[in-house]
Amino acid sequence: MKRVFAHIGFSTATALIVLNMISAVYVPYIAAGLALMLCVSLALKKYRQAVTVPLCLSSALFACLLFLCVYYSAVEPALSLSGKTAELTFCIKDLPQFDSGKYIYTAKATRILLNGAPQSVNLRVVSDKPVCADAFQLVNAKARFYSTGSNAFNNFGKWGDGIYLNAKLIEFSVTDNDVFCPMKYILILRNDIIELLVRNLKNNTGALSAALVTGDRYYLSNDVITAFRLAGVSHLTAISGLHLGVISGSFYYVAKRTGVPVKPRNAFIIALVILYMALAGFSGSVTRAGIMFITVFSADFFKRKPDTLNSLGFAVFIICLNPFAVGDSGAVLSVLSVLSLITLYPYLKNQFTKVFNYLNDRRNRKTYPFRYIIAYVLKSVLLSVSVLLYTLPAVFLFFGYFNATSLVSNILLIPLGSIATVLSLLCYISLKLKFLCTAFVLTVSGVDSLIIIFVKFFAGFELMRFSLTGWFSFVIAAVLAVFAVNFIVFKNKTLKTAFVITFIILAFSLAINALTQYNVNI
């Protein structure tokens, strides 16, 4: 059987998505049903020899058991504190955020003075005043607890980070004691990158460079953050596989060009990937990308040819060892984007083989002097369409709206964002070494300013934003049903017809939606 981890990873993830949408009370019944189906598949020779069905059912059953274990051992004890007030000791383990006049900290409670309370709980600490404590420095406080949400999908990925409780500080005092943790030094590095870039590049340009390198948007103004969201490119300011790929790819290219042998080169890239994952706080999207990169670069050590889809499935499975990670929008969108590039994009590109061959033919150099630009634009359009089709259900689930300008804005801003990411990192290095500082500062400021100008431009197209209201879920279901029938019933023989049908469904639905919104606005 080929691509074992692809089957395991995506079966586990699909099951966890369903489990996180329903009450935990029903999960044991689903587990029992899956166990029965697994036994039947093993009893029937046809399915047992095919392996696929038992493997997928086993993965789904594993997801159920994992979900139950984590929910009743970690989530339920933490949620039992909701609505209660208690004294506690905690340490801050990430850089602070500021939102709606409140200071917000990711923290870990080391002690909670309440009968029956768990003593080691991750918290989202909310305070009216800044908590002037270093990372992992102990703070004594009195706080009121309340839940971050009822499931993994309604708390912006907090459950995926192991944070099931908010703590509103009533009073606090910083102690002289601290907790030893290697992540403290990563936070010091992260904070140094942010402060150096913000201080030297000034205003939103420095804040954008800090966000591109570290994922921290603390210094970005609200209007710029809103513009990124409305333009459909907010993923540029959140560390993901794109940033990891750009940085590791740049270092890999330099190492290859300088003649570094394959194994030392791959070992260096793996170490760099792990460091960057830590710098990004091991977020779901960057963890997915990191595991996939590590799997691919490790292949040479075992003399195995890497398989991208299998590597992605393995990364998804590792991420799903945290059963609530599927509630992280960044991780889900990142996985779906990569999946579209592995499966759908090659198919679409293959349909334009004659066009690409014609553009790449040297004999047409005089006839088409801009053929490389044309080929790049065509590839970018196909990439955007591929990613759009795969991520649309997740966009509806997490955000409830779709921005049509993202098809164009991503074509322009992803290359600019990639360049800015590398330049921002090099700018930080130059500032630390005090070498060519002025040249890098001016260059990065210019590229960042250009990105912000384009983002605000694309954010201004209000008529291109479609709110995916409740009825749109039926449209998404219809699209998925068309592809499901194609793959299951017709065994991929009517893929072109499926594309035509889904395009008509989406175009017709979006047109009605736009007309409805236009009439409402009038």
Side-chain angles (χ1 to χ4, degrees), residues 169-189:
L169 294 186
I170 299 172
E171 57 185 41
F172 65 87
S173 62
V174 180
T175 72
D176 295 328
N177 302 320
D178 58 10
V179 176
F180 174 77
C181 181
M183 279 299 295
K184 178 178 181 177
Y185 304 102
I186 298 295
L187 282 179
I188 292 173
L189 173 61

Side-chain angles (χ1 to χ4, degrees), residues 367-395:
T367 310
Y368 286 97
F370 302 107
R371 69 190 189 284
Y372 292 120
I373 297 176
I374 298 172
Y376 168 76
V377 171
L378 180 56
K379 287 180 182 179
S380 299
V381 170
L382 295 179
L383 280 169
S384 295
V385 171
S386 301
V387 172
L388 169 66
L389 289 175
Y390 272 58
T391 59
L392 192 57
V395 169

Side-chain angles (χ1 to χ4, degrees), residues 229-307:
R229 178 175 57 82
L230 294 179
V233 291
S234 57
H235 56 86
L236 290 178
T237 59
I239 292 297
S240 65
L242 171 66
H243 304 74
L244 185 60
V246 168
I247 291 176
S248 61
S250 300
F251 277 96
Y252 183 85
Y253 176 79
V254 172
K256 185 176 181 180
R257 296 293 293 180
T258 53
V260 179
V262 174
K263 290 187 177 180
R265 181 172 69 219
N266 288 359
F268 169 72
I269 296 300
I270 290 172
L272 179 66
V273 167
I274 295 172
L275 174 63
Y276 198 68
M277 288 166 64
L279 189 66
F282 291 102
S283 67
S285 55
V286 80
T287 300
R288 185 279 311 161
I291 294 171
M292 187 171 147
F293 276 114
I294 290 170
T295 304
V296 170
F297 285 115
S298 298
D300 285 324
F301 293 105
F302 302 99
K303 297 181 180 180
R304 298 291 297 273
K305 184 179 180 180
D307 184 292

Side-chain angles (χ1 to χ4, degrees), residues 41-320:
S41 67
L42 291 173
L44 297 175
K45 184 178 180 180
K46 176 182 177 180
Y47 295 108
R48 183 174 66 250
Q49 291 181 339
V51 180
T52 302
V53 174
L55 183 63
C56 292
L57 289 173
S58 299
S59 301
L61 179 59
F62 170 78
C64 290
L65 298 177
L66 180 65
F67 180 92
L68 289 172
C69 288
V70 176
Y71 184 86
Y72 287 110
S73 65
V75 180
E76 197 170 69
L79 293 181
S80 66
L81 297 175
S82 184
K84 297 179 180 179
T85 302
E87 294 182 354
L88 73 153
T89 301
F90 69 87
C91 61
I92 298 170
K93 61 176 189 175
D94 204 348
L95 299 180
Q97 301 294 322
F98 186 77
D99 185 33
S100 303
K102 305 289 185 182
Y103 295 90
I104 301 171
Y105 304 88
T106 300
K108 188 176 186 68
T110 58
R111 184 183 61 164
I112 299 177
L113 298 178
L114 197 66
N115 289 334
Q119 296 303 298
S120 182
V121 180
N122 290 320
L123 296 171
R124 180 176 177 267
V125 175
V126 182
S127 176
D128 295 325
K129 299 184 295 183
V131 180
C132 299
D134 294 330
F136 298 98
Q137 187 174 2
L138 292 176
V139 179
N140 292 327
K142 184 178 181 180
R144 182 169 181 81
F145 302 105
Y146 57 100
S147 68
T148 56
S150 58
N151 61 52
F153 287 106
N154 59 14
N155 53 50
F156 303 101
K158 294 294 182 295
W159 280 29
D161 295 330
I163 302 173
Y164 317 117
L165 276 179
N166 292 314
K168 178 65 172 68
L169 294 186
I170 299 172
E171 57 185 41
F172 65 87
S173 62
V174 180
T175 72
D176 295 328
N177 302 320
D178 58 10
V179 176
F180 174 77
C181 181
M183 279 299 295
K184 178 178 181 177
Y185 304 102
I186 298 295
L187 282 179
I188 292 173
L189 173 61
R190 187 180 181 190
N191 191 55
D192 187 58
I193 293 173
I194 293 170
E195 289 188 350
L196 206 57
L197 290 175
V198 170
R199 185 168 65 248
N200 286 275
L201 298 178
K202 312 294 184 183
N203 303 323
N204 280 315
T205 54
L208 178 57
S209 282
L212 290 172
V213 176
T214 67
D216 190 286
R217 293 180 285 189
Y218 183 84
Y219 293 99
L220 274 174
S221 62
N222 289 330
D223 64 312
V224 172
I225 292 176
T226 301
F228 269 90
R229 178 175 57 82
L230 294 179
V233 291
S234 57
H235 56 86
L236 290 178
T237 59
I239 292 297
S240 65
L242 171 66
H243 304 74
L244 185 60
V246 168
I247 291 176
S248 61
S250 300
F251 277 96
Y252 183 85
Y253 176 79
V254 172
K256 185 176 181 180
R257 296 293 293 180
T258 53
V260 179
V262 174
K263 290 187 177 180
R265 181 172 69 219
N266 288 359
F268 169 72
I269 296 300
I270 290 172
L272 179 66
V273 167
I274 295 172
L275 174 63
Y276 198 68
M277 288 166 64
L279 189 66
F282 291 102
S283 67
S285 55
V286 80
T287 300
R288 185 279 311 161
I291 294 171
M292 187 171 147
F293 276 114
I294 290 170
T295 304
V296 170
F297 285 115
S298 298
D300 285 324
F301 293 105
F302 302 99
K303 297 181 180 180
R304 298 291 297 273
K305 184 179 180 180
D307 184 292
T308 310
L309 188 58
N310 214 36
S311 299
L312 179 62
F314 179 73
V316 170
F317 175 73
I318 296 299
I319 292 173
C320 285

